[in-house]
Amino acid sequence: MSQMDLNYSTVLKTPTQLDNPDQNIGLVALGPLYNSVVGVHPASLDDKKHAIESLVELLEKAYQRTPDQPFRVMLNELSALPLRDLENGDVEPSEANPAMGLRGVSRFASKVGKPGFVLECDVLKSAIYDKKLPVEIVVPFVRTSSEAATIIDLLAEQGLCRGANGLKVLLACQLPSNAVLAEPLLAYFDGIVVDVDNLAAFTLGVDFTDDALPYGFNKNNEAVRSLILDTIRKTQLAEKPIQVLAQQEDSAIVELAEAANVPLVYQ
């Protein structure tokens, strides 16, 4: 792939993004999309059928934008904070540090998180089997190899078996441990999406939205760059697809991805 062939797209988080006919969708984030469309905590949702139909309709519209590109959908990566803002969100347990609490696989395997996980799996099954969309599932916040095995089992229990009918499951690289352990983790996954914002935040221990920090932090920090480049190298050596999820204004990271001939998706 040459740099001229690189594609640039965005993450779908709200339905209004689809109002722009020029908006190419490179990744669908089911967590914020669910919050925007449904607005009720999945653990207390009554009209599940309508919620599933609404989300599948949006997936179908998103796919139609770029039918020639991989259609990747990321499971809910949100922490308890935005989920507590939903109607009946008080079912969420109190956490001292939600950013490092129930997220990703740990949430899907938990009592409070399972209803949302099951609903998202029902959305994906409808999109795959009813609408014939070539969905590739992206799994967020996989903290260990054990959790990698767990999520493959949890998906299979819901009828989403990796490899069945060509179903691909990718890893969202959001943690330093994901980059360090990319080689063994790729035994469980069919590719990687590098989430630069989360990877940088957990590598540097920084909340980039916190204006109270005494000095600026740069996502182009050498530790972050090293982890991104190492993940790209390991994934390409495994001959599996890789994608970088970044902010458009993070020009140094964008240039890094371009130099490595890795497709970019803008937050």
Side-chain angles (χ1 to χ4, degrees):
M1 182 188 296
S2 70
Q3 290 190 28
M4 292 295 291
D5 296 326
L6 289 170
N7 60 297
Y8 301 87
S9 52
T10 59
V11 181
L12 179 65
K13 297 180 179 179
T14 66
T16 55
Q17 291 174 258
L18 295 172
D19 294 339
N20 180 357
D22 298 322
Q23 187 101 96
N24 289 334
I25 306 300
L27 179 70
V28 178
L30 267 185
L33 194 62
Y34 173 91
N35 287 13
S36 176
V37 172
V38 183
V40 180
H41 196 285
S44 61
L45 180 64
D46 292 326
D47 195 350
K48 295 179 182 179
K49 183 174 183 291
H50 178 69
I52 292 169
E53 290 174 349
S54 299
L55 290 167
V56 171
E57 182 181 355
L58 291 172
L59 293 188
E60 192 171 21
K61 290 179 179 178
Y63 171 69
Q64 290 168 353
R65 292 298 177 85
T66 50
D68 55 337
Q69 300 294 333
F71 186 55
R72 292 171 180 155
V73 181
M74 184 157 67
L75 298 170
N76 180 17
E77 58 127 4
L78 300 176
S79 73
L81 283 177
L83 292 168
R84 270 205 291 268
D85 290 336
L86 296 172
E87 184 179 335
N88 299 328
D90 55 359
V91 298
E92 282 292 322
S94 178
E95 294 180 307
N97 190 345
M100 300 179 75
L102 281 179
R103 300 183 76 171
V105 181
S106 60
R107 171 168 289 278
F108 306 150
S110 71
K111 182 178 179 180
V112 71
K114 185 174 181 180
F117 174 70
V118 171
L119 184 137
E120 290 186 29
C121 288
D122 287 342
V123 169
L124 296 178
K125 284 186 289 188
S126 179
I128 293 168
Y129 300 121
D130 298 336
K131 301 297 182 179
K132 309 302 180 186
L133 303 184
V135 171
E136 297 182 4
I137 302 172
V138 181
V139 182
F141 282 89
V142 181
R143 289 173 163 118
T144 63
S145 295
S146 176
E147 282 199 343
T150 294
I151 188 58
I152 297 302
D153 288 344
L154 289 175
L155 287 169
E157 287 172 7
Q158 297 301 318
L160 293 166
C161 300
R162 177 189 173 212
N165 299 312
L167 178 63
K168 293 182 178 181
V169 182
L170 286 77
L171 167 72
C173 177
Q174 298 168 309
L175 307 168
S177 60
N178 297 152
V180 173
L181 297 175
E183 287 171 316
L185 286 172
L186 280 166
Y188 297 94
F189 298 102
D190 301 296
I192 289 179
V193 176
V194 180
D195 180 346
V196 173
D197 280 8
N198 275 299
L199 181 61
F202 284 102
T203 300
L204 300 175
V206 170
D207 178 356
F208 286 96
T209 64
D210 187 353
D211 296 331
L213 290 171
Y215 52 91
F217 291 87
N218 189 346
K219 295 172 194 172
N220 193 41
N221 175 280
E222 57 268 30
V224 180
R225 286 181 64 89
S226 177
L227 290 172
I228 295 172
L229 288 169
D230 198 38
T231 303
I232 291 173
R233 178 184 62 82
K234 290 172 180 175
T235 310
Q236 290 177 337
L237 280 174
E239 298 183 340
K240 293 185 177 183
I242 186 163
Q243 189 176 48
V244 169
L245 178 62
Q247 301 286 345
Q248 193 166 358
E249 60 268 23
D250 293 332
S251 57
I253 300 298
V254 170
E255 290 171 6
L256 180 154
E258 290 175 336
N261 286 331
V262 174
L264 281 153
V265 182
Y266 293 131
Q267 292 269 37

